[in-house]
Amino acid sequence: MTTDAFLADCRARLAFDLLSNTWNAVVLWALRDGPMRPVDLRERIGGISSKVLTETLRRLQFNGLVDRQARPDAPSRVEYQLTVLGRTLLAPIDAVGAWAFEYGDDVMAAREAVCTPAPQSPPPTR
């Protein structure tokens, strides 16, 4: 890696951009066990709207990380699954999750320390 590794057009920055969206990693992780329909993904993930899930799936598809499979069933059925490229991100996502599990309390304590006002001294008496 060169000293210019994080310039706008570098590949490392591309990877960080992919993982910086909150829902990208969550959706990729949810698809790790195989294809899923959007309604099942929403249920598995929780806390994500249909609109945001659709946008995330389209973004992941655009980047070659998921495939969309339309089934000719009646009613039509759509499933999403990880591509080979998408599967390569599971190990880094797992590593970040392991880091968060180990150090998450430290991060929360640091936030708490910054957000907690310092105790005030009593006003001087005359």
Side-chain angles (χ1 to χ4, degrees):
M1 186 183 320
T2 68
T3 56
D4 295 332
F6 296 102
L7 294 178
D9 61 348
C10 82
R11 290 187 173 119
R13 190 149 165 204
L14 168 70
F16 285 117
D17 286 344
L18 285 172
L19 293 177
S20 66
N21 178 287
T22 300
W23 296 111
N24 285 356
V26 173
V27 170
L28 290 170
W29 191 254
L31 288 170
R32 73 189 179 281
D33 295 327
M36 293 184 78
R37 297 175 63 202
V39 67
D40 297 326
L41 267 173
R42 275 192 70 211
E43 185 177 308
R44 184 172 198 182
I45 293 170
I48 187 171
S49 69
S50 293
K51 178 184 179 228
V52 171
L53 178 58
T54 299
E55 291 169 352
T56 302
L57 288 165
R58 286 181 182 158
R59 182 174 44 255
L60 293 172
Q61 185 180 8
F62 175 78
N63 285 292
L65 302 175
V66 300
D67 276 333
R68 180 184 186 271
Q69 298 290 322
R71 306 278 184 217
D73 303 338
S76 64
R77 183 176 168 168
V78 174
E79 289 183 334
Y80 290 88
Q81 64 183 6
L82 293 176
T83 62
V84 172
L85 181 60
R87 288 204 163 278
T88 65
L89 277 175
L90 293 178
I93 292 168
D94 187 44
V96 170
W99 179 90
F101 184 78
E102 186 168 345
Y103 298 106
D105 289 341
D106 297 331
V107 172
M108 297 304 288
R111 287 180 177 184
E112 183 72 23
V114 169
C115 293
T116 303
Q120 295 187 3
S121 307
T125 55
R126 292 185 192 208

